[in-house]
Amino acid sequence: MTGRRLSKSEERKVVKTYALEQVKKEWKQEAEEEGLSLSRYLHNLIQEGRAMRKQGRLKLGDKRRVEELRQEVDELQNKLEKQGQTRSDPENAGSTLVQRQVLENLVPEDEYKTLDQILKQLVGNEEFQDRLRTELKTELYRLANTGRVEYRRGSGWKNLGGGE
């Protein structure tokens, strides 16, 4: 953002936007939550988007990518739910995060390792990190869908106090 205040009326110009009524209501609600006028809120969003685009973190085609990621999250949630159903079967019990084969490979045959040593090795494993990241994102989005947490671009995740 420029840091300039838009206080002098002769410096400001009217800009028309054409948005669906529902979208405008959402903008107004978000502006109120941040204690801003709709004009200031939209100005801030535009400036934030421009800065992100300059940094290469946002491109105009990102909407399509967001939709692809949402579909991927939905697929992963379905997969997790199916796996949760098979966990009730003791034969298939176990973690999707820590896979038996990976764990067996971390535990040597010729020496003993402490739990901390195994944990350190597991956390450094890229395959484990990918599974953890996927499960973490899935759970965060699930919590966001139920209104328990909120994500703000550029800031991260915030607990909304909806826990039990």
Side-chain angles (χ1 to χ4, degrees), residues 101-141:
Q101 186 63 41
V102 172
L103 197 52
E104 286 177 11
N105 291 338
L106 292 176
V107 178
E109 293 178 17
D110 57 339
E111 64 179 294
Y112 288 92
K113 276 191 178 178
T114 66
L115 181 60
D116 286 342
Q117 290 171 322
I118 295 169
L119 180 62
K120 213 176 243 183
Q121 210 174 343
L122 182 62
V123 170
N125 180 298
E126 280 186 48
E127 185 181 332
F128 173 78
Q129 289 177 8
D130 289 343
R131 282 195 309 279
L132 178 59
R133 187 174 288 108
T134 298
E135 286 194 30
L136 187 58
K137 283 195 289 187
T138 300
E139 288 305 314
L140 284 168
Y141 281 109

Side-chain angles (χ1 to χ4, degrees), residues 39-51:
S39 178
R40 173 53 70 182
Y41 175 73
L42 291 174
H43 179 265
N44 289 351
L45 280 180
I46 291 166
Q47 293 300 90
E48 179 183 316
R50 291 171 77 192

Side-chain angles (χ1 to χ4, degrees), residues 21-46:
E21 187 63 33
Q22 181 58 35
V23 172
K24 187 175 180 182
K25 284 180 185 177
E26 289 174 16
W27 289 346
K28 278 187 174 184
Q29 182 180 356
E30 291 169 5
E32 287 173 9
E33 288 171 4
E34 292 191 26
L36 300 171
S37 68
L38 179 57
S39 178
R40 173 53 70 182
Y41 175 73
L42 291 174
H43 179 265
N44 289 351
L45 280 180
I46 291 166

